[in-house]
Amino acid sequence: MNSRQPVPVVVLAGFLGSGKTTVLNHLLTHRGGTRIGVVVNDFGSIEVDAMSVAGRLGDSMVSLGGGCLCCAVDGSELDAYLEKLAAPAHRIDVIVIEASGLAEPQELIRMLMAGENPDVRYGGMVQVVDAAEFDATRRKHPETDRHLAVADLVVLNKTDRVDPAERARIEAVLDALCAPGTPRVGAEHGRIDPELLFDRRPWTETRGQLSFEDLLAQADGPGREQGPDCGPGHEHGPGHEHGPGCGHGRASHPHAAYESVEFTSREALSPRRFIDFLDRRPPGLYRIKGFVHFGVPGHGERYEVHAVGRFLRFAPGPWGRGGARLTQLVLIGSGIDAAGLLRDLEDCREPAPHELGPESMWGVLRYVARPGREPDRTEE
């Protein structure tokens, strides 16, 4: 039996010129040993965005030119492309769909949710916003408001091109347009932490033959970390790996911008209290990942939990043979109360899960994909 986990598919959306390709290239350059498959969808017959990333991925990229993915490609065709990328031979860890600037994110989400390929799963929608052209974009494309309302994570890009007062005004507008609790991260030149979207594997998993990271680091020359972003005055994002030749010490960089909180419990968690915790998660909490042990009769499986912003999903699966049944969670955020989060999770412990009835799992099961139905995306 194939025990391989489904490959998450992240939608990268935003209007023309917002910086989606820049964000994607940054993710590719700073992905560690993670293997990323990419679906690039340009609007028009000259696939400029595809050309800008093609040299990095080779056979791990599918390019769809000639129109918006949401209207030029039907669901079965998209399924075929995702099936190709998710094939075990490619060993892809995550797939990113860079949508056309004119695509409808809601339709892309619907297509992914309705897909029947068990080897992939929807992993959330990231909306890239151009801070310098925010008002002009909303005037020209009023549907921007609708797109922001369904985003799981908002990247406010080009923040270096607006002053603090203007940025604060834009952020207040975004707070009003986005669903409550939608996290937002500021970025310059598309530089966001890849850990907000996917796990980065250690370089040791890709060494042996030269990896993409090795080649990029060699191309950048000595004294610089992988990718074109590391130069004089460069500030690394969280999770930056200071390898040989990097020339940077961790103490000199603002890693405190993001915090990673880890929680482990050998005691089962109450499904109701844990769902309440997820419903009340603060806006700065960007990502939650890990495994949960509920121990409710009839639901003794290991529940993988994955959240990017408002997007939330559980996936039940078997426990490892001989492994302990425990909850292991990692929470990544900015400006979060780490101690408070840990206290809230401690309050989710359930000393007598065997006494709970099946109705206690209903909140969790809302977010489990079932054949023929879509899971609820998140609380509205």
Side-chain angles (χ1 to χ4, degrees), residues 23-226:
V23 170
L24 177 58
N25 278 331
H26 178 77
L27 294 175
L28 294 175
T29 304
H30 296 83
R31 68 187 185 275
T34 300
R35 295 180 65 87
I36 305 176
V38 174
V39 177
V40 176
N41 175 225
D42 293 325
F43 187 84
S45 58
I46 301 177
E47 301 168 24
V48 178
D49 286 351
M51 289 188 286
S52 70
V53 299
R56 301 177 185 269
L57 290 168
D59 291 339
S60 297
M61 184 182 77
V62 174
S63 179
L64 310 174
C68 291
L69 182 61
C70 59
C71 53
V73 181
D74 64 26
S76 61
E77 191 173 358
L78 178 59
D79 284 345
Y81 292 124
L82 295 178
E83 183 177 2
K84 172 186 175 183
L85 289 176
H90 292 307
R91 296 183 292 115
I92 296 296
D93 299 305
V94 62
I95 296 172
V96 178
I97 295 180
E98 183 191 352
S100 157
L102 301 177
E104 281 291 342
Q106 298 99 317
E107 184 62 17
L108 294 179
I109 294 170
R110 184 198 66 77
M111 293 166 68
L112 289 169
M113 289 287 205
E116 299 180 353
N117 185 352
D119 293 328
V120 298
R121 62 173 172 81
Y122 175 59
M125 194 272 276
V126 180
Q127 182 78 10
V128 182
V129 175
D130 184 341
E133 300 293 332
F134 180 65
D135 293 330
T137 299
R138 290 185 70 204
R139 286 193 299 269
K140 188 174 182 180
H141 302 286
E143 61 270 32
T144 298
D145 295 2
R146 186 174 69 252
H147 297 178
L148 287 166
V150 300
D152 298 303
L153 173 68
V154 174
V155 175
L156 182 60
N157 196 27
K158 307 182 186 181
T159 54
D160 54 316
R161 295 181 56 189
V162 296
D163 60 36
E166 175 66 1
R167 175 174 176 175
R169 181 190 70 82
I170 294 171
E171 290 178 338
V173 175
L174 290 174
D175 286 340
L177 294 176
C178 296
T182 303
R184 178 183 62 248
V185 58
E188 299 180 12
H189 309 291
R191 297 169 186 159
I192 67 171
D193 180 11
E195 291 283 348
L196 299 181
L197 301 179
F198 54 80
D199 295 331
R200 296 198 304 167
R201 298 182 182 277
W203 278 22
T204 54
E205 295 187 17
T206 60
R207 299 234 184 227
Q209 294 183 346
L210 283 178
S211 66
F212 287 120
E213 289 75 28
D214 298 321
L215 294 172
L216 288 168
Q218 286 185 5
D220 285 337
R224 294 184 64 184
E225 210 265 338
Q226 53 176 330

